[in-house]
Amino acid sequence: MKSTLPPHHGLPDSILNDPELVMRTDPETPSLTDVQYEALSQGAARGTSMLVVAPTSTGKTLIGVWALTTWLLNAPPRNAVYLVTHRALARQKFEELQALLCERYFQGDKHSIVLANGDTIEDGAGSVPTDPLNAPVLVATYEKYLAMLSGSGSPSDTSRHIIICDEIQIIGDEHRGRSIEVLLTMLRNARWGQFIGLSAVIDPRDAKDLSEWLGAKLVHVGQREKHLHYECRTLSRIRTFRTDRPELGIEEKTPPGPLGTEKTIAELKKNKSALPIVVFCMTRKRVDEAVRAYAQSLGMKIDDTHPLHPKLHEPTAAARNLSQFIPRRFAFHNAELMDDERRLVEDVLKNKALDIVFATSTLAAGVNFPFKTAVFDEWKRWNPKTKTRDPLPASEFQNMAGRVGRMGTAHSHGAIIFSSTGTFIDAQASNQYLQPDRATPLTPRITPTGFSQLALQLVSSGVCLNESDVAEFLSSTFSAMRERESNQTGLEHWRRAMAQSIQALREWGFLL
């Protein structure tokens, strides 16, 4: 932690004097994490583009807010785009920025901040904006923003925009990475004014390459502000790792602790210092099963006609259940909750009125809540392509684990508990989770096998108009940069594949 601001930090007095934007140990002494200090030192509040990589709970989100706010204040009119990975997170970030910026910097104009996700496009007044892409502040999911840009034509100049990309490691996601790389390539080619990328789980080599491609400074701080204690429980022993004692490596202890979600929760509840607990489940169905099993363990009988909580208005099944569960200090959270249901769960959790939350990974997407312990109900997910249950990528596991022991909580550390069968294969798979500083390498997701579909997408959306445009666009992607580095022939085989894809488009009548 730092108790001073770096020289030439760039923060105006309106931010420096705001206790919600600059934490202080006393009225005269600011309190910055190491990565916040370094980001300000490198110019985050002076218009410098940067990729910020630091462990969870080190205050990266505030760096994005500082950059966004100073960008808007320094030379209006300017625009800001804040991109996130999930609909629920977009809604939460939209509400946070409304609370932080609307009265302070937009004179109460609720039309100035716009939300765009898979559900809606709306401004802070609840209206549908006529020109959401030109709103002073737009909060959107990556795919929604890509769809909006594709529908209106690829931008040619974004020099008056700051682009903030949360959880930017999603560019390597197996299912979503290609679309997000297309979006970032469009924005990069349109020359943004400032870019801030945020991640907790990018490998150092990948971070260097990605920052070079983005044309951004790399700010990489490995020091944790709060430490994590990991436990992998098997039938015969507990395997542990502590980030505050990395020199000890992975240790083994006996006797083993309770196995299974229900028994683990029962054990943890006896120790109030282990609360609150988030129980991560791989599917919404499993969340429902686990929360009902917990309710039954308390002797509860779920009543489908139970009166609604005062803050809930629609009599959905989820609302009825939450109305019964919350008074007993437990709840559930997933992407299908209605806004008032999600907001209620998050509010009572922040107010320390919950001990246990059963959740899907949506609660792990950059959301800041005061959990002490994370219990993984499962760490394998069904893969419909291979028809197998595959271990979570290490970076996704660590991002979920990072929801515990957050900055601003009284907890000295966070605890992560998961179980393994103890077989050789499971032990090898689970080892990666006991090495939290080893991130999953970014895998480029634009490859020649997908050129025909991608070329069609680029042409049909108007991003590219002809063969030359397609070739130029694909050659400017992060995947192309990686290919040039790893292949002695450069992009020669890419060019052959591009030519075949363009010829196919001509034969289909999409290009003349």
Side-chain angles (χ1 to χ4, degrees), residues 8-9 34-53 60 62-64 66-68 162-166 168 192-199 202 207 210-221:
H8 312 296
H9 51 77
D34 290 347
V35 71
Q36 289 172 346
Y37 185 94
E38 185 63 21
L40 287 177
S41 178
Q42 294 296 322
R46 301 195 308 273
T48 302
S49 292
M50 60 182 59
L51 173 62
V52 181
V53 181
K60 295 184 297 297
L62 200 52
I63 295 170
W66 289 338
L68 181 152
I162 181 174
I163 308 294
I164 300 173
C165 291
D166 202 7
I168 195 175
W192 48 58
Q194 185 181 5
F195 179 91
I196 301 290
L198 305 172
S199 178
I202 296 183
L210 186 57
S211 64
E212 289 178 357
W213 178 70
L214 293 167
K217 283 187 177 182
L218 176 60
V219 174
H220 195 173
V221 174

Side-chain angles (χ1 to χ4, degrees), residues 9-195:
H9 51 77
L11 294 176
D13 288 344
S14 59
I15 293 177
L16 286 176
N17 297 327
D18 192 325
E20 290 192 62
L21 293 178
V22 177
M23 302 299 108
R24 295 181 179 273
T25 54
D26 60 60
E28 302 299 323
T29 308
S31 178
L32 304 181
T33 65
D34 290 347
V35 71
Q36 289 172 346
Y37 185 94
E38 185 63 21
L40 287 177
S41 178
Q42 294 296 322
R46 301 195 308 273
T48 302
S49 292
M50 60 182 59
L51 173 62
V52 181
V53 181
T56 55
S57 190
T58 50
K60 295 184 297 297
T61 298
L62 200 52
I63 295 170
V65 173
W66 289 338
L68 181 152
T69 307
T70 53
W71 176 263
L72 293 175
L73 289 176
N74 282 341
R78 282 178 165 183
N79 304 82
V81 178
Y82 203 117
L83 298 175
V84 299
T85 54
H86 292 77
R87 289 177 297 169
L89 183 56
R91 171 68 67 176
Q92 186 196 43
K93 189 60 60 179
F94 168 70
E95 292 170 356
E96 287 178 0
L97 292 180
Q98 277 281 108
L100 277 174
L101 304 179
C102 189
E103 294 294 335
R104 288 174 171 88
Y105 304 110
F106 294 122
Q107 291 76 51
D109 181 6
K110 293 185 177 182
H111 301 290
S112 297
I113 303 177
V114 170
L115 167 69
N117 60 25
D119 298 323
T120 186
I121 299 179
E122 64 182 67
D123 60 31
S127 306
V128 177
T130 56
D131 190 9
L133 287 173
N134 285 315
V137 179
L138 173 63
V139 181
T141 55
Y142 284 94
E143 286 88 351
K144 185 67 173 183
Y145 190 52
L146 174 60
M148 293 168 68
L149 290 179
S150 299
S152 62
S154 180
S156 58
D157 181 10
T158 55
S159 60
R160 298 197 66 80
H161 287 68
I162 181 174
I163 308 294
I164 300 173
C165 291
D166 202 7
E167 311 287 355
I168 195 175
Q169 72 276 358
I170 199 173
I171 193 175
D173 184 83
E174 179 182 1
H175 306 290
R176 303 172 64 187
R178 188 177 78 172
S179 294
I180 289 163
E181 186 173 346
V182 167
L183 171 61
L184 292 182
T185 302
M186 290 170 60
L187 296 172
R188 172 180 174 270
N189 292 348
R191 297 181 178 84
W192 48 58
Q194 185 181 5
F195 179 91

Side-chain angles (χ1 to χ4, degrees), residues 228-232 372-376 397 401 404 414-418:
L228 302 177
H229 297 182
Y230 292 77
E231 287 188 12
C232 177
K372 169 59 186 298
T373 306
V375 175
F376 281 78
F397 181 95
V404 303
I416 298 97
I417 299 173
F418 60 106

Side-chain angles (χ1 to χ4, degrees), residues 396-408:
E396 184 175 352
F397 181 95
Q398 299 302 345
N399 206 41
M400 296 167 75
R403 296 312 101 194
V404 303
R406 305 291 292 177
M407 289 293 296

Side-chain angles (χ1 to χ4, degrees), residues 228-354:
L228 302 177
H229 297 182
Y230 292 77
E231 287 188 12
C232 177
R233 297 181 175 185
T234 70
L235 289 170
S236 60
R237 62 192 185 279
I238 299 176
R239 304 169 68 232
T240 67
F241 181 85
R242 293 175 50 159
T243 61
D244 56 339
R245 300 291 302 277
E247 70 278 3
L248 299 178
I250 298 174
E251 297 185 290
E252 295 191 357
K253 300 178 181 179
T254 55
L259 290 178
T261 300
E262 291 183 43
K263 292 181 179 178
T264 301
I265 292 173
E267 175 210 21
L268 292 171
K269 280 186 62 181
K270 298 175 183 177
N271 178 7
K272 288 189 176 182
S273 67
L275 305 176
I277 303 164
V278 56
V279 180
F280 283 122
C281 303
M282 293 298 101
T283 65
R284 291 192 297 273
K285 178 182 178 183
R286 180 54 191 152
V287 167
D288 186 61
E289 292 171 348
V291 75
R292 286 176 176 272
Y294 181 72
Q296 290 173 3
S297 74
L298 299 180
M300 293 180 64
K301 184 177 180 180
I302 298 175
D303 179 5
D304 294 337
T305 63
H306 192 279
L308 290 180
H309 187 283
K311 292 187 177 181
L312 300 178
H313 308 292
E314 294 292 330
T316 66
R320 299 282 190 198
N321 289 338
L322 289 172
S323 298
Q324 296 173 77
F325 298 162
I326 286 175
R328 301 293 297 272
R329 300 188 65 85
F330 71 101
F332 57 92
H333 190 289
N334 60 52
E336 298 306 308
L337 292 181
M338 297 182 67
D339 287 340
D340 59 345
E341 296 164 353
R342 174 192 56 80
R343 194 177 295 113
L344 173 62
V345 173
E346 295 172 1
D347 286 347
V348 293
L349 180 57
K350 288 178 180 177
N351 291 331
K352 302 181 180 180
L354 289 177

